[in-house]
Amino acid sequence: MTDYRDRRFDLIAFDWDGTLYDSTQLIVRCIQAAVVDVGGARPSDKDAAWVIGLGLAEALAKAAPDVPREKYAQLGARYRHHYIGHHDDLVLFDGVLPMLDALRARGHKLAVATGKSRSGLDAALATATLHDRFDSSRTADETAGKPHPRMLLELMEELAVPPERTLMIGDTTHDLQLALNAGCSSVGVSYGAHEPDAFDALNPLFIAHSVDSLQHWLLTNG
């Protein structure tokens, strides 16, 4: 086990979609198709991508402001229909598994903090055979959605790690705001849903442009 003093962070929490899983474009297409299915105006790629990371209900409501509230249940059902139909299209970004293994070997606790549902995350973890690589996880339907700090606070309490020893990594401003709200440091990745120009105001320690650069930074500075 690596000595405590060799690590700046004991807990590293990852967002899922767009950070570990290469699913951004699929989610955008599914949001757009679901909105059209219920009679709404098709959101732009940018608007659909912006809501990624929020809880499903909130994300769909923001992506489809012209869809009445009474159609939200139908909107969610249509999104799940399109997403499940392409679930096998999802793949991990290159280098994710070696990065997670290197971090575990260094003694870090690893977690997932995601806007996905519990059933959706469990299905993804099973598909990618990742269950044994994470110490815990939280999803938006079992706690508060991002950027409310509750999911990160719950992970820190469960794994007995204080905020100053916890790092949140994500591809959206919602992830970085979550970290700020929970009193934690953050790292942004530029290869996911949000343009990194908006990250600076949220004070990430680093912006990674690839999984390789993220792993190098974490092993050097994390």
Side-chain angles (χ1 to χ4, degrees), residues 101-156:
D101 289 342
L103 292 172
R104 288 189 65 83
R106 194 167 182 255
H108 296 282
K109 296 178 180 179
L110 304 181
V112 174
T114 177
K116 295 179 75 65
S117 66
R118 170 52 60 188
S119 61
L121 179 62
D122 284 349
L125 287 170
T127 300
T129 62
L130 282 168
H131 268 299
D132 60 346
R133 287 182 166 90
F134 294 102
D135 296 283
S136 188
S137 61
R138 286 296 186 280
T139 60
D141 60 341
E142 63 189 6
T143 184
K146 300 172 186 176
H148 193 287
R150 187 183 303 164
M151 67 170 64
L152 204 47
L153 294 174
E154 288 178 354
L155 287 167
M156 290 188 288

Side-chain angles (χ1 to χ4, degrees), residues 73-130:
Q74 182 185 359
L75 181 61
R78 293 309 298 167
Y79 171 82
R80 286 186 285 270
H81 167 79
H82 289 294
Y83 187 88
I84 290 171
H86 293 278
H87 187 266
D88 290 340
D89 297 351
L90 302 178
V91 294
L92 291 167
F93 287 108
D94 288 342
V96 163
L97 290 180
M99 175 183 69
L100 296 176
D101 289 342
L103 292 172
R104 288 189 65 83
R106 194 167 182 255
H108 296 282
K109 296 178 180 179
L110 304 181
V112 174
T114 177
K116 295 179 75 65
S117 66
R118 170 52 60 188
S119 61
L121 179 62
D122 284 349
L125 287 170
T127 300
T129 62
L130 282 168

Side-chain angles (χ1 to χ4, degrees), residues 56-72:
L56 179 60
E58 182 183 2
L60 293 175
K62 288 184 180 296
D66 59 332
V67 172
R69 183 175 297 274
E70 58 267 24
K71 287 191 174 183
Y72 283 1

